Amino acid sequence: DMTQAIFTPASGGQSNLMLGNIVCTTMLAGAHSGSELTMVICTCPKDTGPGPHTDPWRESFLVLDGEFEFHLEQAGKLVPRGAKPGDVISIPAGVGHAFRATSETARVLILSVPGGLDAFFAEAGKPITSKMPPQPAQAFDRERFEAATQKYEVKRFEPARM
C-alpha cells in the first residue's frame, strides 16, 4: 500500500553479502516506494568496493562514516575523488563510477532512483544476518553475480583509451 508510511528500524532491513565482503542492507525497498526509490546502507571493509561500472538508475551516495575513494567518469576517464562523512556524490544513470573504502571500515547510504537496487543486491549477493562484513571475506558465486548484472543492466565501464 503506497499510501502508508514505512518505518525500518536501524537494526532492521534485509542484508545481502556482495562480492564476499560488502554488506548491503536494504532500508527502503523499491517495492515499498512504488519503485520510486531504494535506500541501502553498504558497510565496506578497507580496500573493498565495486569496480568500474554503470547503472541503469541514478545513484546518490551519502558517506555515513569512514572514508571512500570514488572514481567518477569525466570525459570518458575515471577521476578519483576522496569522500568523508557527510559528503554526497550523485551519479546519473549510465555514468561510469567505482568506489572503495579507504578507512578500516566505511559505511555509505545509497539512494537509487528509480527503485530496484535492492532487487539487484538480493539476486547478485546472498542473504546474511550480520550487518558487519565477515573476516576473512567469503567466496562468492560469480555466475549468480554476472547473471544479476545482465538482468539489471549493470555494465562494466571501460575508460577511454588515450
Side-chain angles (χ1 to χ4, degrees):
D1 182 356
M2 298 307 130
T3 62
Q4 297 294 310
I6 304 290
F7 173 78
T8 306
S11 61
Q14 170 60 51
S15 294
N16 288 290
L17 186 64
M18 295 293 294
L19 305 173
N21 53 15
I22 299 169
V23 176
C24 298
T25 303
T26 299
M27 301 307 289
L28 178 66
H32 294 151
S33 70
S35 296
E36 291 176 2
L37 75 128
T38 293
M39 298 174 74
V40 175
I41 294 175
C42 291
T43 304
C44 305
K46 187 172 187 159
D47 292 328
T48 66
H53 68 282
T54 62
D55 297 303
W57 43 71
R58 174 180 282 275
E59 283 185 337
S60 297
F61 300 82
L62 170 63
V63 178
L64 300 175
D65 43 57
E67 295 188 4
F68 288 91
E69 182 175 83
F70 279 80
H71 292 259
L72 307 172
E73 180 184 355
Q74 292 179 354
K77 287 193 159 318
L78 290 175
V79 177
R81 172 120 212 176
K84 304 182 302 300
D87 289 347
V88 170
I89 298 94
S90 190
I91 302 164
V95 172
H97 62 284
F99 65 89
R100 67 181 182 87
T102 55
S103 54
E104 281 311 304
T105 59
R107 290 187 327 131
V108 64
L109 172 67
I110 308 174
L111 288 168
S112 77
V113 177
L117 179 63
D118 58 306
F120 168 70
F121 286 155
E123 289 191 40
K126 70 176 185 183
I128 185 172
T129 52
S130 172
K131 305 278 187 244
M132 290 305 294
Q135 294 291 350
Q138 297 179 5
F140 79 100
D141 185 338
R142 186 167 290 280
E143 280 184 26
R144 177 181 166 97
F145 179 80
E146 295 292 343
T149 61
Q150 287 191 340
K151 176 178 175 180
Y152 289 90
E153 298 181 21
V154 174
K155 298 183 167 76
R156 189 171 277 122
F157 175 76
E158 303 287 347
R161 303 256 182 267
M162 296 314 267

